[in-house]
Amino acid sequence: MEVSSSPAAGPPASVVARLRAAGCVFAEDEARLLSEAARDQDELDDMVGKRAAGLPLEHIVGWAEFCGLRVATDPGVFVPRRRTEFLISQAAALTPAGAVVVDLCCGSGAMGLALAVAADVGELYAADLDEAAVRCARRNLDAIGGKVSAGDLFGALPERIRGRIGTLIANVPYVPSGEVALLPAEARLHEARLALDGGDDGLDVLRRVVAGAPQWLAPGGQLLIETSERQAPAAMAIFERHGLRPVLAASEEYAATVIIGTAPGA
């Protein structure tokens, strides 16, 4: 039996009720998305069962909305958060025309994709240590000419762009190791720990990115990293220690904090 649910009719009430009973806050919206994604009733039942069991909606339907784009998401890969849209808005305003752009710790490649759509990007590179994330990012970035590599931070990038990066964006893991267990189950159980765990104080990966950035940024190039409000003072001190001039950007609307560090030079 085919699933039919017109926008006017809304999603099946039984699906909404089942999701609501499972604790889904936006049960009606999720029911609509699942109904639209399912090809038949059996598939819908399977999808609803997975969602009721706690799997991220984005992993079930295979995509996430980010900056108005539909970004492919695969099981186990970090789901792009709405708060990170604030980082993209900051990066888009700062990225010069034709710039070399790099998305480190790229996950699905959502940030690189969104920035390439929002700004005049000359070359786009992305990298992640997780092979599943790299495969997913390639699905999102191949069509726009983005180059995705597997590897540890700057070690995954081609040597030819050293000293040429105009905008470097990095949504590094910044949850302190001791707080990972406090994350919502959707993240804690269904996303790679290496995409979440930032070490004892949550700043281990940030330190490594900031330390390496001056050798890879073009003169006057900029590094943008998302962090928490609590970690921002320590993060800014790390930027200063490595010769990057930091500016704090925060958004109450997005509940987001971003550090923007500018490399020396003009």
Side-chain angles (χ1 to χ4, degrees):
M1 182 180 75
E2 294 297 320
V3 172
S4 61
S5 177
S6 67
S14 60
V15 173
V16 176
R18 189 174 175 189
L19 293 176
R20 190 168 287 136
C24 298
V25 177
F26 303 104
E28 188 159 328
D29 291 336
E30 294 193 11
R32 175 179 53 80
L33 291 171
L34 292 170
S35 298
E36 291 172 353
R39 291 166 293 187
D40 55 41
Q41 187 64 47
D42 288 343
E43 186 171 36
L44 178 59
D45 289 343
D46 181 62
M47 287 179 163
V48 174
K50 288 178 178 177
R51 183 63 184 129
L55 269 70
L57 176 69
E58 296 82 0
H59 289 166
I60 297 169
V61 299
W63 60 273
E65 183 176 341
F66 184 73
C67 292
L69 303 171
R70 184 174 286 200
V71 179
T73 54
D74 292 335
V77 176
F78 183 83
V79 175
R81 292 3 181 202
R82 182 174 180 269
R83 64 174 172 267
T84 308
E85 294 182 2
F86 178 65
L87 185 153
I88 297 302
S89 70
Q90 298 297 300
L94 297 170
T95 298
V100 174
V101 168
V102 170
D103 180 2
L104 280 186
C105 304
C106 69
S108 66
M111 291 205 309
L113 176 64
L115 185 53
V117 170
D120 180 9
V121 172
E123 301 173 52
L124 173 63
Y125 300 87
D128 201 287
L129 193 58
D130 180 30
E131 291 283 357
V134 169
R135 290 193 296 271
C136 187
R138 284 176 177 153
R139 291 173 57 206
N140 286 309
L141 299 181
D142 279 356
I144 61 169
K147 304 294 190 294
V148 185
S149 301
D152 187 18
L153 300 180
F154 298 99
L157 301 179
E159 187 65 26
R160 66 179 177 277
I161 66 170
R162 182 187 290 268
R164 295 180 50 221
I165 300 172
T167 301
L168 173 58
I169 53 178
N171 190 10
V172 302
Y174 58 89
V175 179
S177 299
E179 297 178 16
V180 171
L182 305 178
L183 290 173
E186 287 185 21
R188 187 179 72 251
L189 301 178
H190 301 291
E191 295 177 333
R193 186 178 178 108
L194 62 82
L196 305 169
D197 191 338
D200 287 346
D201 64 354
L203 298 174
D204 282 2
V205 183
L206 182 146
R207 287 187 182 90
R208 296 181 58 215
V209 171
V210 175
Q215 290 76 49
W216 289 84
L217 288 171
Q222 292 175 313
L223 165 64
L224 296 91
I225 294 184
E226 180 179 292
T227 188
S228 70
E229 182 179 3
R230 180 185 65 184
Q231 295 164 319
M236 292 186 72
I238 294 168
F239 274 65
E240 290 175 341
R241 194 174 307 134
H242 291 282
L244 299 177
R245 187 175 72 254
V247 172
L248 176 67
S251 168
E252 186 174 333
E253 176 187 358
Y254 287 92
T257 302
V258 173
I259 311 296
I260 304 168
T262 304

